[in-house]
Every structure is written in C-alpha cells, then in structure tokens.
Amino acid sequence: MTAAQAVLDRVTRVPGVRGALIASAEDGLVVAEQLMDGVDGRAAAALAGSLVGRLARTADGAGRRAPAFVQLRAERGSILVAPCPKDLVLIAVVAADANVGLARLEMLDAASRLH
Amino acid sequence: MSLVNFTAREITCKIVYYGPGRSGKTTNLQYVYGRVPESRRGRMVSLATQTDRTLFFDFLPLELGSISGFATKFQLYTVPGQSYYNATRKLVLQGADGVVFVADSQARRFDDNLESLQNLQDNLLAQGVDIRQLPVVFQYNKQDLPRDLILTHEEMDDALNFRAVHSFAGDALHGTGVFETLRGISELVLKRLAAGAVAG
Amino acid sequence: MRALEPWVEAPLQTFLAESSARLTLLMTSSGQVVAQHGFSRSLDVMTAAALGAGIGASTEELARLMGSSRFEALVHHGARQSCLLAGFGTPRGRWIGLVVFGPETSVGIVQLFFDQMVQQLASAARRDEPAAVRLPENFEHELDASLKALFGR
Ligand SMILES: Nc1nc2c(ncn2[C@@H]2O[C@H](COP(=O)(O)OP(=O)(O)OP(=O)(O)O)[C@@H](O)[C@H]2O)c(=O)[nH]1
Ligand SMILES: [Mg+2]
C-alpha cells in the first residue's frame, strides 16, 4: 500500500466520512482517492484546490498565515480540507452526522506525514 | 460546410488549395496576402518544414465585406502536396466548401498532377463527398516558364479538366491569374450557397 | 463574449464565470468559429480556430493509429498561462473547445466546468432546432457587385 492509500484508509475509517482524496492544490487534479458511490471526486478536488489557493492568497494579502484546516459546512454535510506539504491537499467529504472532530484529528495527523 | 448564421448575419466559407508538391499553392496564398489590404486579412499562418515545404497547412483568413447584409468571410487553406502527407491532406480537406486545384504546367510533372487529382477525388469520397458536387476550379501554374518546358492551357485542360469547370492560366510567383482564380472559386461557392444550401 | 448562435450564449457565459478562463473559443471540427470570448480581432479568432481544429484533428487521428479511441483533452502547461483543448459531441456535430487560463484558476476547475458546459450545450441545442433558412433573393445579384468591388475586375 502506498503512503497516500494508507492516509486515505485512516481518514475513511472515521464514522460518517463518505470519501477522502488527495489532490494537487495548484492543478485541482485528483492524485489518489477512496470514495463511496455518488461522490464526485473530480469536482471535490477541483473546488477544494481552488478554495485552498484562494484562502492562501487572501491570508497572505492580510499578512496572516494560510489556514491549516478548512471546514465548509453545507446542508447535507461538510467538505474538510487540510493543506499538506508539496502543494497537496487532503480532502474529506463527510455526512452531516459525521464525527468532524475525529476526522479533523486524523486529517491533520495524516497531512503532516504526507511527505 | 459553410457556416451561415442568420442571427449574426455571417457567412464563413472554407476554400482549400490542392495539388501536387511544389505546384505553387503556398505561393498563391502569399501573393493574396501581399495584395489584400491589412484591414481585410488576418495573419497568414504557415506550418512548414525548414525547407519551406508545407507540413500541415497554410492558412489565410479574409474578410470580403458585406453581401446583402451578410458579413462574408473566407478561410483559405493549402494542403501539403508531397504524397506521404496524405493523412494531413485529409484533415485539411474536411468541411471544404470549394477546392482550387493548382496544377504544375511543367510537362515533366504531368503524372504528378494526375496522381494528385485522383488523390483529391479519393479523399473526398472517403468523406462522403462526390467531387462532381463540389465547387472546383483549376489553375495551371508556372505558365511563365519557357514554352518548351510546359503544356499550354488547352493541353492542361485536356489532361485534367474532364468536367470542363473553370480553369485559369497562372504565374503565382508574379501574380498572374491568382485573383482570377480566387474570384472564380468564390463565385462558385457563394452562388451555390445562394441557390439554397442551408445553414451548417 | 460573442456567439454565432444565441443558444450557445448561456452555457458559455456560465463557463466563463465559473472557470475564470482568459480566452475561450468554440469551433466546429473543421475549424469554423462558433463562439468566442477574449479575442479582440475577429481575424485572429479564425486563425486560432484553424490551428485548434488542426491540433484536434491530428491528435484524434494519432489516437486512432495507436488503437485507442479519442483523447479526451490535451493540456498544455505554460509558465504564465496554460491551454486546454478538448473535443466533444453536440447534437450539431463534433465541436472543439480551446481555453486559455492563468494561475488565477486551475486545470481541474477549467475541466470541471468545461464538462458542465458540454452537457448544457447538448440540452440547449436540442431545445433550439435549426429552422430551414434561405439567403435573401437579391443575394446573387449583390454578390456580383461585391466580387467586382473586392477583386477590382
Ligand atoms: N516559375 C514559377 N515558379 C513558381 C510559380 N509558383 C510557385 N513557384 C515556385 O515553386 C516552388 C514551390 O512553390 P510552393 O508555393 O511552395 O509550392 P506548394 O504547392 O506549396 O508545395 P508543397 O507545400 O510542397 O505542397 C517555389 O520555389 C516557388 O517560388 C510560378 O508560377 N512560376
Ligand atoms: Mg506549400
């Protein structure tokens, strides 16, 4: 199993997580994914990549450090994004009743180990 | 297929210069480019080898101005004449509204002209187009060369022009016949359009 | 933005807004311009369409030679801007899209919304069936006059 697959495995094991993927932030393209049916990984990668890029530029413009974790909450669930080294982002698509706290811990830990 | 747009009132036609290698297709476009006012032409693009042989195509966009309130545009293309570029020739020929067949009048190029004309017919047929249904004119180029090297206009007609379509004697290097040829094909293409061809 | 057919406008407008593309050109597979955004000179648009269609046609032919079906898209990554070239089917035949974009967006975003536009174009085209049309009666007469004026003989 590759390092990327191991990371995705740990994140998707958290209750309520419907899929996880690693994308390249600059391109918004999927690098690795583990998704349940009905989750559009390509869209998540493109949009999350763009979101992280914009947030980083905004933070930079305001003289702040780029965020280490982003939660985008919608009606039927959330998208969680953790920027990783090497211009990668770790993304999780989670249901409304997911354990976001646990997912966040797993993602931050995994993100730091994606070298 | 010409693109006729009734909302935007625009007509765009694709005209392809066909013929054997070194017959003077590129030279025709270069002459047109040099003589048409800048406001009526775009950049001429030539995708050529280092020795100036056409590799993919030459392309020259022209604006003819307004006819009956329709902004009329022409796209002139040349194909590479050398026989091993046939795949490319087929691509350029796609969707052509009219063809100018530029033949080399030199007697020693007789067979090359015939072979290229046959090749045009085959490539059109492969795209479901019968050459008899397509506007075509001939240009017998290099008529400036010494008499003993070339065939006359009549001899060229006998050799190539079986359907007696419009044909023009040419010297593309100096411009003789270049605009007459372009006018000839433009007229055929646009009249066919006016005769009831429907938007593409 | 400029589209030859009104039904192309809404899908293209959405694409432009969502993708932040700098230049967009839609053309038929034989190189006729269907719609464009971002070019300032109509003659340059024709040239870009001829080149785009040429690349599209040769990559498709190349794909066939190599025994695969067609390539979905071709992305050229440049230092300051990048370029996406993708062919797609429409109820009006095969078209090609050429998109030039900068670092303010990404290839993932451009591709995502490009695919959405392709779907929207397909349904918009079905709603807008082309009517049989004719050129005006006097077209041929005016043609003679125009050709005389243009070619000066
Ligand atoms: N004497 C003479 N030479 C010509 C004439 N037209 C073209 N040439 C010359 O013939 C050569 C080939 O001309 P091109 O226009 O490049 O020929 P082409 O048909 O585009 O050739 P390919 O691209 O290989 O298919 C050049 O050296 C031209 O200068 C002409 O009317 N008279
Ligand atoms: Mg040439």
Side-chain angles (χ1 to χ4, degrees):
Chain A
M1 189 189 286
T2 66
Q5 285 302 334
V7 162
L8 294 179
D9 240 31
R10 279 188 49 194
V11 176
T12 46
R13 235 180 276 144
V14 175
V17 172
R18 303 193 54 225
L21 56 149
I22 297 167
S24 106
E26 197 187 319
D27 296 338
L29 298 176
V30 178
V31 175
E33 61 184 8
Q34 227 177 85
L35 303 168
M36 281 190 186
D37 280 350
V39 179
D40 184 350
R42 223 168 56 105
L47 297 166
S50 142
L51 177 68
V52 166
R54 272 162 214 250
L55 283 174
R57 282 195 293 273
T58 310
D60 191 47
R64 309 287 295 268
R65 279 201 312 184
F69 187 81
V70 181
Q71 177 180 6
L72 200 65
R73 205 155 65 192
E75 204 179 319
R76 285 160 52 213
S78 294
I79 293 181
L80 313 179
V81 187
C84 311
K86 287 194 293 193
D87 191 45
L88 295 175
V89 280
L90 176 59
I91 303 158
V93 180
V94 306
D97 58 357
N99 186 341
V100 172
L102 183 55
R104 175 174 178 271
L105 281 180
E106 288 288 4
M107 285 173 74
L108 288 176
D109 183 47
S112 69
R113 279 184 294 116
L114 258 185
H115 282 296
Chain B
M1 205 192 320
S2 346
L3 203 73
V4 182
N5 187 273
F6 288 84
T7 344
R9 300 186 76 78
E10 274 191 18
I11 296 174
T12 312
C13 302
K14 173 170 177 177
I15 291 173
V16 176
Y17 283 68
Y18 212 93
R22 303 194 71 83
S23 68
K25 302 175 291 295
T26 299
T27 310
N28 262 273
L29 257 64
Q30 283 166 341
Y31 187 80
V32 172
Y33 178 83
R35 288 302 160 101
V36 169
E38 212 189 318
S39 60
R40 295 218 179 233
R41 58 155 165 81
R43 241 171 287 192
M44 176 162 167
V45 174
S46 289
L47 305 180
T49 65
Q50 277 165 352
T51 55
D52 276 344
R53 306 299 302 269
T54 302
L55 176 65
F56 200 157
F57 56 70
D58 303 297
F59 175 77
L60 175 61
L62 295 179
E63 277 177 356
L64 268 74
S66 169
I67 304 177
S68 293
F70 281 78
T72 306
K73 299 173 181 184
F74 273 20
Q75 303 169 325
L76 308 186
Y77 286 82
T78 73
V79 297
Q82 297 180 82
S83 40
Y84 51 84
Y85 290 139
N86 196 41
T88 317
R89 264 196 301 283
K90 284 190 198 168
L91 297 180
V92 177
L93 201 54
Q94 267 178 32
D97 297 302
V99 170
V100 173
F101 189 90
V102 181
D104 192 326
S105 303
Q106 296 179 85
R108 64 182 177 86
R109 301 296 310 278
F110 188 87
D111 290 342
D112 299 331
N113 290 326
L114 280 179
E115 190 186 308
S116 174
L117 185 59
Q118 182 63 49
N119 172 258
L120 168 64
Q121 209 160 325
D122 294 346
N123 284 343
L124 284 173
L125 211 56
Q127 291 169 19
V129 178
D130 181 344
I131 192 169
R132 290 170 300 185
Q133 309 293 321
L134 188 74
V136 175
V137 302
F138 284 92
Q139 181 186 82
Y140 307 134
N141 196 29
K142 307 198 183 176
Q143 286 285 326
D144 57 304
L145 292 176
R147 285 282 148 242
D148 54 329
L149 293 181
I150 57 170
L151 302 182
T152 63
H153 191 157
E154 293 69 37
E155 288 168 327
M156 291 297 285
D157 261 344
D158 286 344
L160 299 171
N161 193 359
F162 314 120
R163 288 189 300 122
V165 299
H166 289 291
S167 62
F168 305 87
D171 165 9
L173 212 48
H174 306 98
T176 312
V178 169
F179 277 100
E180 289 79 354
T181 307
L182 179 56
R183 192 202 147 114
I185 192 67
S186 310
E187 201 166 340
L188 285 184
V189 166
L190 290 172
K191 283 196 171 159
R192 194 171 95 130
L193 217 102
V198 161
Chain C
M1 187 201 63
R2 182 157 155 64
L4 275 186
E5 309 261 349
W7 58 270
V8 176
E9 267 171 38
L12 178 57
Q13 201 77 77
T14 309
F15 169 74
L16 292 171
E18 298 283 8
S19 70
S20 311
R22 292 178 180 178
L23 287 179
T24 302
L25 174 57
L26 300 180
M27 66 205 101
T28 67
S29 56
S30 60
Q32 307 271 30
V33 179
V34 178
Q36 68 99 351
H37 162 82
F39 289 84
S40 50
R41 218 177 151 222
S42 84
L43 288 160
D44 289 341
V45 180
M46 283 205 265
T47 307
L51 292 169
I55 300 169
S58 17
T59 48
E60 282 195 9
E61 207 52 37
L62 205 57
R64 268 206 341 187
L65 272 179
M66 291 170 10
S68 81
S69 52
R70 40 177 58 120
F71 294 119
E72 298 266 298
L74 193 71
V75 182
H76 175 85
H77 289 274
R80 281 171 39 243
Q81 45 188 23
S82 304
C83 172
L84 168 89
L85 189 85
F88 56 97
T90 78
R92 303 288 165 79
R94 199 162 169 78
W95 287 7
I96 295 169
L98 175 73
V99 184
V100 175
F101 57 95
E104 61 277 10
T105 181
S106 70
V107 60
I109 289 282
V110 169
Q111 245 163 359
L112 183 70
F113 289 104
F114 188 88
D115 290 354
Q116 181 187 306
M117 172 175 67
V118 167
Q119 283 170 13
Q120 289 175 352
L121 282 173
S123 47
R126 272 191 292 275
R127 282 195 303 274
D128 182 288
E129 286 302 324
V133 280
R134 281 181 169 276
L135 290 169
E137 301 266 316
N138 60 344
F139 183 81
E140 190 158 336
H141 176 75
E142 278 206 16
L143 173 60
D144 283 325
S146 299
L147 288 174
K148 245 186 219 113
L150 276 167
F151 297 125
R153 54 204 97 197

